[in-house]
Amino acid sequence: MRDASKPVTYDELGFVGLIRFDNPPVNALNHQVRTGLAEALARATKSPQIKAVLIISGGNMFSAGADLKEFDGPLAEPSLQQLQAAIEMAPVPVVAAISGLALGGGLELALACHYRIAHKSAKLGLPEITLGIVPGAGGTQRLPRLIGSRPALEMILSGAPIAAADAMAKGLVDKVVGGDLGDSAINHCKSLVHDRLGPRPTRNLTVSGNLDESTISEILGAHARALKGRTTQKLVVDAVRAAVLPFADGIAIEAANANKSLASRESLALRHVFFAERESGKVEGLPQRATQPEINRVAIVGAGTMGSGIAMVFADAGRSVTLIDTDDAALARSGTAIRSNYASSVKRGRLSQEIADERMSRIRGRTKLADVAAADIAIEAVFEDMDLKKKVLSSLDSLLPADRLIATNTSALSVTELGRATAHASRVLGLHFFVPAQASKLLEIVRGKDTTLDTLAIALDVAKLLKKFPVVSGDAFGFIGNRMMLDGYFREAEQLLLEGASPQQVDTALEQFGFAMGPQRVSDLGGNDVGTKVRVQLFKRESRPDPYFVIADRLTKLGRLGQKTGRGFYRYLEGRRDAFPDPDVDKLIEELASERGIVGREIGDEEIVERCVLALINVGAMVLDDGIATRASDIDVVWTSGYGFPRHLGGPMFYADTLGLAHVVKRIRHYHEKLGYYWCPAGLIERLAAENSTFEQWDRQRKAGVLTLAV
Ligand code: COA
């Protein structure tokens, strides 16, 4: 049995020294593992009968790399670099056997071995850039020595892992095998010894290929979108360029740049989001379950855009889907849309025709609600209409066995009220998917007042199955994301238009801040009518005084629905997405402003960004204080994965911490005085600022049970 206190074991199989390391769940190279590996290597190299050493994972993943939790303090020795030096200097060949994933420090460990053998299902990569880090254990120096400088820079800047066969073609691994990796790797060691192939330190190889300016800008250009607003790439380029220098000089540049990157705000923010995404699915008090309920058959009611998107998400996850709509024509339209969506994925090379056909075949259209009966879970995705939704949910409740989850995909209505339209409100909750359902990583799970933890547990299983980040929200106006968007971010953007900023000025300022798309362009893309409809429903729950989306609602009234009608906040040419300013809209905004006695003025970009982002933070704090969101970090996940907030700024609440809450409160009070009631500072920010605290500390205290929650 595995002894958790000893993650590394050493055995001798004839003349092969076998080092196994096993540190679940991802075989991270923490201090204990590094110590164990260094000790085992020393034993092997001192043992007179050992002629080759094999390093292999005891689990099914080679290693996900350095232990990210160790990055917050000084690293205890032996460092990975010291371990690698010992491997390279070993007097006998050292072989890495790669199964599953070899990422980051995991791959860097393998790069320092003299030979590499991989299972055909293995994937290898340096994902550090996604965390704002320069690979710091020789990755920028050894990878170019093995595969050439250009492919190395491409691989490090993309951060995406490559398959074993590709790694073999590039020269990153020496052999790819199927079947049992351990057996093949031992045989590989034996043949090295037989062929008298000794140690081959990667540091002694020379780099092939040249990284001139035009090659670098071409590669950076290919990743420009993913790296927008980021700085790590510059440090990566410097380090990879240094690989042509003597190894010691190159590695010194890598170390300096890796340290710089680790200390950067960008990296702190990206690491915060990484852990926040993993934390968000953890809910206190969930029942211990002996077995997990099966989720194989899914019924979706309502074949509109959302229902069709959700059907594809489940089909992509290998589930069979019954898509129900009583309207034949709606089903036919949905079938066409789904088919054309898959066809476009095939055309872009994202899917093979065979896989697309297989996914398509998992979705069956039906017109009778009774067809839900065999489903493991059912999701209602009909129009946002309380009575209609209640009727559908109540029918689902009578058709499905009492242990099945019933979800509503509402983005506006009260989940509690909808649940109470059934005889089993305990099994009803909200699954709020975002558009496009297939691409968006966020899944808001809305817990009604009667929803039980058992039901919540199934919803979390659903999120896992769909590889989405679940964030649990209380059942209140707009849940987490839309509340912050409507009461905070978008409302402020509209207010700025009324005060004299143009749609393109607001959008450009926020896009330069790092948002994927500015608020007005988002409204035009999603459809101004869609926003208006959601607000009408929300207002039945709680109303908001004028001015509240007066511009967007007027555009809807005028039929300026956005891209789909060629006119919205902007003008569009047929079939194009480029947004052109429209003087008619400027005139309309002026009219709406003067009706409200607002006199236009010049507004700077800085003010636009500050007001929109502070408004977002302020409402976020209210959502947290009201117990609608559990953690500040959950809000960051909602905004970075569902609403285009720049990941490298960590999400609105993390960003607030970096601004300093005392400063945030001061500025919010300033706008409160200037603009009135709706800028009233959230009590939680005032309290935290007074205590010189942060949202991160608040999360930590909450986790430790020091805080009492309002829920
Ligand atoms: N260091 C420390 N903890 C790590 C880790 C790392 N490098 N990689 C993953 N973990 C932890 C996660 O936080 C999670 O912990 P939790 O269960 O307490 O929440 C657990 O390992 C499982 O990770 P998760 O991401 O939920 O599993 P997965 O199977 O979906 O994905 C990976 C596995 C390896 C693909 C993914 O975790 C990953 O990308 N890790 C980071 C890899 C990386 O960037 N390495 C370079 C580090 S410099």
Side-chain angles (χ1 to χ4, degrees):
M1 219 176 107
R2 204 182 77 82
D3 178 354
S5 69
K6 291 200 185 83
V8 182
T9 59
Y10 176 68
D11 294 293
E12 298 192 346
L13 292 179
F15 56 79
V16 178
L18 180 62
I19 302 176
R20 273 183 201 277
F21 65 115
D22 193 6
N23 178 25
V26 295
N27 232 358
L29 300 169
N30 67 6
H31 180 234
Q32 223 180 6
V33 172
R34 295 195 302 275
T35 307
L37 286 171
E39 285 170 3
L41 183 72
R43 271 180 74 186
T45 51
K46 276 190 202 122
S47 174
Q49 79 242 28
I50 292 303
K51 296 192 177 127
V53 177
L54 178 63
I55 300 181
I56 189 166
S57 158
N60 46 23
M61 182 186 296
F62 185 73
S63 170
D67 187 335
L68 289 166
K69 293 187 188 105
E70 288 184 352
F71 282 8
D72 294 333
L75 272 187
E77 295 193 345
S79 65
L80 190 49
Q81 291 83 342
Q82 287 167 330
L83 175 63
Q84 290 168 316
I87 291 172
E88 281 191 323
M89 285 184 311
V92 294
V94 180
V95 178
I98 301 170
S99 55
L101 292 169
L103 300 179
L107 180 58
E108 288 173 304
L109 173 69
L111 294 177
C113 291
H114 303 135
Y115 300 90
R116 283 153 295 280
I117 173 168
H119 191 267
K120 64 179 185 192
S121 62
K123 288 193 169 160
L124 303 86
L126 291 173
E128 284 89 338
I129 187 107
T130 59
L131 297 168
I133 305 172
V134 174
T140 66
Q141 305 302 299
R142 290 191 181 90
L143 192 61
R145 282 172 164 78
L146 283 167
I147 69 173
S149 51
R150 184 187 170 122
L153 184 62
E154 279 169 345
M155 212 171 136
I156 300 173
L157 286 181
S158 102
I162 60 171
D166 192 9
M168 172 99 185
K170 286 188 160 69
L172 179 47
V173 298
D174 305 292
K175 197 168 184 180
V176 174
V177 296
D180 187 278
L181 177 67
D183 290 349
S184 304
I186 287 166
N187 287 336
H188 191 60
C189 289
K190 286 181 182 162
S191 64
L192 288 175
V193 174
H194 179 264
D195 297 342
R196 296 176 188 277
L197 290 170
R200 186 184 60 176
T202 312
R203 68 171 70 195
N204 295 346
L205 305 175
T206 45
V207 177
S208 69
N210 179 26
L211 281 179
D212 55 32
E213 291 302 332
S214 78
T215 311
I216 291 171
S217 47
E218 184 197 325
I219 301 173
L220 281 173
H223 300 288
R225 207 162 153 221
L227 297 173
K228 181 182 150 196
R230 303 268 315 269
T231 56
T232 325
Q233 62 274 30
K234 194 177 168 311
L235 297 172
V236 165
V237 169
D238 283 352
V240 175
R241 283 187 106 168
V244 291
L245 303 175
F247 187 77
D249 297 341
I251 211 88
I253 292 175
E254 179 194 87
N257 286 9
N259 285 336
K260 238 185 252 172
S261 69
L262 270 173
S264 69
R265 267 194 186 191
E266 181 172 315
S267 167
L268 289 174
L270 289 164
R271 282 183 274 150
H272 162 79
V273 176
F274 176 85
F275 284 113
E277 285 168 348
R278 276 141 191 91
E279 190 72 11
S280 74
K282 293 178 188 147
V283 175
E284 282 153 32
L286 279 190
Q288 293 290 331
R289 296 174 299 177
T291 53
Q292 240 162 280
E294 303 254 322
I295 308 172
N296 291 324
R297 289 159 305 180
V298 182
I300 296 160
V301 185
T305 311
M306 216 56 226
S308 308
I310 299 171
M312 289 179 72
V313 173
F314 279 98
D316 294 352
R319 269 52 196 180
S320 60
V321 179
T322 308
L323 182 58
I324 301 170
D325 202 303
T326 45
D327 179 2
D328 269 327
L331 263 188
R333 275 197 304 276
S334 161
T336 311
I338 293 174
R339 209 166 295 117
S340 102
N341 216 305
Y342 279 129
S344 126
S345 296
V346 171
K347 205 167 147 203
R348 289 182 194 182
R350 289 193 191 148
L351 278 185
S352 69
Q353 187 62 51
E354 197 187 349
I355 291 179
D357 289 345
E358 195 192 325
R359 291 182 180 182
M360 187 75 211
S361 73
R362 291 194 193 118
I363 306 174
R364 309 177 302 160
R366 290 288 181 272
T367 49
K368 293 207 176 56
L369 209 52
D371 281 313
V372 300
D376 298 317
I377 65 166
I379 302 173
E380 163 284 300
V382 299
F383 296 118
E384 287 284 5
D385 176 278
M386 185 57 100
D387 291 338
L388 176 64
K389 280 191 186 276
K390 278 184 177 172
K391 219 169 112 200
V392 172
L393 288 167
S394 151
S395 306
L396 289 176
D397 187 46
S398 58
L399 288 163
L400 280 166
D403 60 341
R404 307 290 150 88
L405 171 94
I406 299 179
T408 164
N409 177 52
T410 183
S411 54
L413 303 172
S414 159
V415 171
T416 307
E417 192 179 337
L418 288 170
R420 287 180 185 167
T422 72
H424 305 90
S426 60
R427 58 144 147 187
V428 178
L429 49 62
L431 284 182
H432 186 201
F433 286 84
F434 289 76
V435 185
Q438 310 89 285
S440 174
K441 291 291 280 178
L442 176 63
L443 181 62
E444 253 184 342
I445 299 179
V446 186
R447 197 174 166 190
K449 288 204 167 62
D450 309 300
T451 311
T452 56
L453 283 166
D454 291 282
T455 307
L456 199 54
I458 304 175
L460 291 165
D461 294 340
V462 170
K464 197 163 199 173
L465 168 87
L466 303 179
K467 297 197 172 70
K468 298 210 181 278
F469 302 127
V471 175
V472 178
S473 169
D475 181 23
F477 181 97
F479 314 135
I480 298 173
N482 282 350
R483 161 98 191 270
M484 290 171 66
M485 179 177 84
L486 294 171
D487 282 353
Y489 180 49
F490 274 36
R491 170 196 245 178
E492 201 52 30
E494 272 230 356
Q495 179 69 30
L496 284 156
L497 298 185
L498 291 172
E499 289 175 32
S502 67
Q504 58 277 19
Q505 192 195 356
V506 171
D507 282 346
T508 309
L510 288 159
E511 283 160 16
Q512 270 166 6
F513 171 77
F515 272 99
M517 204 185 262
Q520 271 74 49
R521 293 220 291 134
V522 168
S523 303
D524 273 0
L525 180 67
N528 289 313
D529 54 327
V530 175
T532 298
K533 272 187 207 145
V534 169
R535 286 189 292 274
V536 167
Q537 295 301 334
L538 277 171
F539 273 24
K540 292 184 186 159
R541 213 169 177 170
E542 262 174 53
S543 62
R544 298 287 185 269
D546 183 283
Y548 195 82
F549 294 90
V550 284
I551 307 171
D553 287 343
R554 180 65 66 85
L555 293 174
T556 301
K557 216 171 182 177
L558 294 171
R560 299 190 63 122
L561 308 185
Q563 282 188 22
K564 60 186 170 191
T565 55
R567 283 195 169 17
F569 279 98
Y570 296 94
R571 271 187 308 115
Y572 300 87
L573 296 175
E574 176 91 39
R576 300 281 303 269
R577 296 195 158 205
D578 316 70
F580 296 98
D582 189 336
D584 290 350
V585 174
D586 297 339
K587 217 164 119 233
L588 173 77
I589 295 174
E590 265 175 50
E591 277 166 29
L592 290 168
S594 88
E595 280 166 22
R596 286 160 182 80
I598 302 172
V599 182
R601 64 183 171 95
E602 285 279 319
I603 301 178
D605 291 354
E606 217 170 282
E607 181 178 338
I608 292 173
V609 170
E610 182 178 56
R611 281 173 55 179
C612 289
V613 175
L614 287 183
L616 186 54
I617 293 167
N618 200 30
V619 181
M622 293 175 190
V623 163
L624 204 52
D625 214 9
D626 293 347
I628 303 307
T630 311
R631 311 171 182 92
S633 65
D634 283 1
I635 295 180
D636 289 335
V637 174
V638 167
W639 274 81
T640 50
S641 62
Y643 291 82
F645 191 97
R647 264 177 93 83
H648 66 275
L649 298 179
M653 309 322 273
F654 182 89
Y655 184 67
D657 282 350
T658 61
L659 291 175
L661 296 189
H663 170 79
V664 168
V665 166
K666 196 172 124 207
R667 298 301 295 159
I668 291 175
R669 286 193 187 129
H670 164 76
Y671 288 120
H672 188 202
E673 274 168 31
K674 227 171 122 181
L675 296 160
Y677 80 98
Y678 76 97
W679 268 94
C680 191
L684 179 60
I685 305 194
E686 291 196 308
R687 292 200 301 279
L688 292 178
E691 290 163 15
N692 206 10
S693 186
T694 59
F695 286 114
E696 197 179 4
Q697 281 176 28
W698 189 86
D699 273 358
R700 249 186 274 136
Q701 288 175 342
R702 195 207 56 85
K703 195 170 178 181
V706 182
L707 294 170
T708 340
L709 293 181
V711 213

